[in-house]
Amino acid sequence: MERLDVIGNISRDLTRYPDQRGRSRLGGAALFVSLAATKAGWRAAPVCVLGSDLAHLPEAPGLDMLDWSARIQVDGMSTTFDLEYDLQGELMAAGTDYGVAEGLTEHALRHVDLHPHGTYHVCCRRPLDVTAVLGQLAGCAADFSVDFFLPSAEAMIRAAADWLPKATTVFVNAAEYRLLEQVIDCDTLPEIIITDGPRAAVVRRFGRQVASAVPPPQPPREVSGAGDTLAGTLLALRSQGATTAQALAEATAAAASYVAAPSLPRPAPRRG
């Protein structure tokens, strides 16, 4: 079974909610997608750039299950996100310092050049040059799926538009789907998976709905990373032969469990 290579950021996050939920924690779409895929039985490798502050992650308990061979580590600080949510879990504001992730595009292009026949998931977020990366993946006929991050989704969807019909799956939330509809005829896309928080997630293929699943109710503690968890779980289950309906049901359940669980703490470097 092919490895899933996940192109994206790994970050140090601070999440904030009006009711005092939230904390400093480990984050980044490349991490959450890779962890979810690995837990669901598919070996996954974050294609990322780690700063010296997170250089110890490959040895950290719980993270050593990942395949870290596709990451590079450079001197400097890793990406940081300051994420502010409302009580319903809608993202209200995001502050970012990309740090060493400014080198992610160059690293991703080099990695794809070395592994042109891999299976990829691309987290379409700044500072990644999605036009260059998706163009290279499409040019070598690699299998790839994509997702977006609402604060940058409008620009990233426009940059990715020419390549989206070649993606196996496009993951969006309800707000991102409305942006997607403004840029491209969604009926031309092989598959779109649309999530909507606690409401039903649906799968559409060339404009026709083929599956839906309502997440089991869970009291939310942390929503950042829920969509990444759904994406990684669903991709892993389908790689093992699950039907789309089965994979969507299990992936929505995994995302619901994720939002009810404690945040992923940033592990301290090992001593000695």
Side-chain angles (χ1 to χ4, degrees):
M1 183 168 57
E2 289 277 357
R3 181 181 76 179
L4 178 64
D5 287 0
V6 184
I7 297 174
N9 298 321
I10 293 181
S11 59
R12 297 179 296 116
D13 292 358
L14 177 63
T15 57
R16 308 172 188 268
Y17 297 83
D19 58 2
Q20 308 308 310
R21 280 179 294 146
R23 58 175 293 180
S24 177
R25 60 166 211 163
L26 197 60
L31 178 65
F32 291 133
V33 173
S34 297
L35 277 174
T38 300
K39 290 176 181 178
W42 194 6
R43 185 165 64 102
V47 182
C48 64
V49 183
L50 296 179
S52 49
D53 54 324
L54 296 182
H56 60 290
L57 289 190
E59 302 173 354
L63 301 180
D64 51 2
M65 69 173 69
L66 299 181
D67 181 341
W68 288 97
S69 63
R71 102 298 189 179
I72 59 171
Q73 189 260 310
V74 300
D75 291 336
M77 296 298 289
S78 301
T79 303
T80 60
F81 286 100
D82 189 334
L83 305 170
E84 183 178 348
Y85 294 90
D86 66 15
L87 287 174
Q88 288 70 47
E90 298 293 331
L91 184 63
M92 304 300 294
T96 310
D97 183 342
Y98 297 114
V100 298
E102 295 287 359
L104 177 60
T105 297
E106 181 182 356
H107 173 50
L109 293 173
R110 184 167 55 248
H111 181 83
V112 174
D113 188 52
L114 293 171
H115 305 278
H117 305 300
T119 300
Y120 290 89
H121 180 75
V122 184
C123 307
C124 296
R125 292 149 168 79
R126 296 188 177 110
L128 188 70
D129 183 342
V130 297
T131 302
V133 172
L134 296 184
Q136 185 171 4
L137 289 170
C140 60
D143 287 336
F144 67 92
S145 54
V146 302
D147 69 9
F148 299 94
F149 180 47
L150 187 56
S152 61
E154 183 172 6
M156 288 293 172
I157 288 170
R158 292 186 183 280
D162 287 346
W163 312 114
L164 294 183
K166 296 183 181 296
T168 58
T169 305
V170 176
F171 292 89
V172 289
N173 64 27
E176 293 160 356
Y177 182 66
R178 290 191 289 271
L179 294 172
L180 187 67
E181 288 182 304
Q182 297 172 18
V183 173
I184 192 170
D185 179 358
C186 292
D187 291 354
T188 67
L189 299 183
E191 183 173 75
I192 310 173
I193 296 179
I194 308 161
T195 59
D196 194 11
R199 292 164 288 278
V202 301
V203 181
R204 300 179 66 85
R205 289 182 181 154
F206 295 110
R208 184 172 66 89
Q209 182 172 315
V210 298
S212 67
V214 178
Q218 295 276 14
R221 297 177 62 172
E222 183 62 83
V223 300
S224 179
D228 304 320
T229 299
L230 183 145
T233 302
L234 186 142
L235 292 170
L237 293 173
R238 287 211 305 206
S239 77
Q240 299 165 69
T243 67
T244 296
Q246 291 169 337
L248 183 66
E250 292 193 39
T252 54
S257 295
Y258 167 85
V259 303
S263 297
L264 187 64
R266 191 164 71 244
R270 289 182 176 177
R271 297 181 178 179

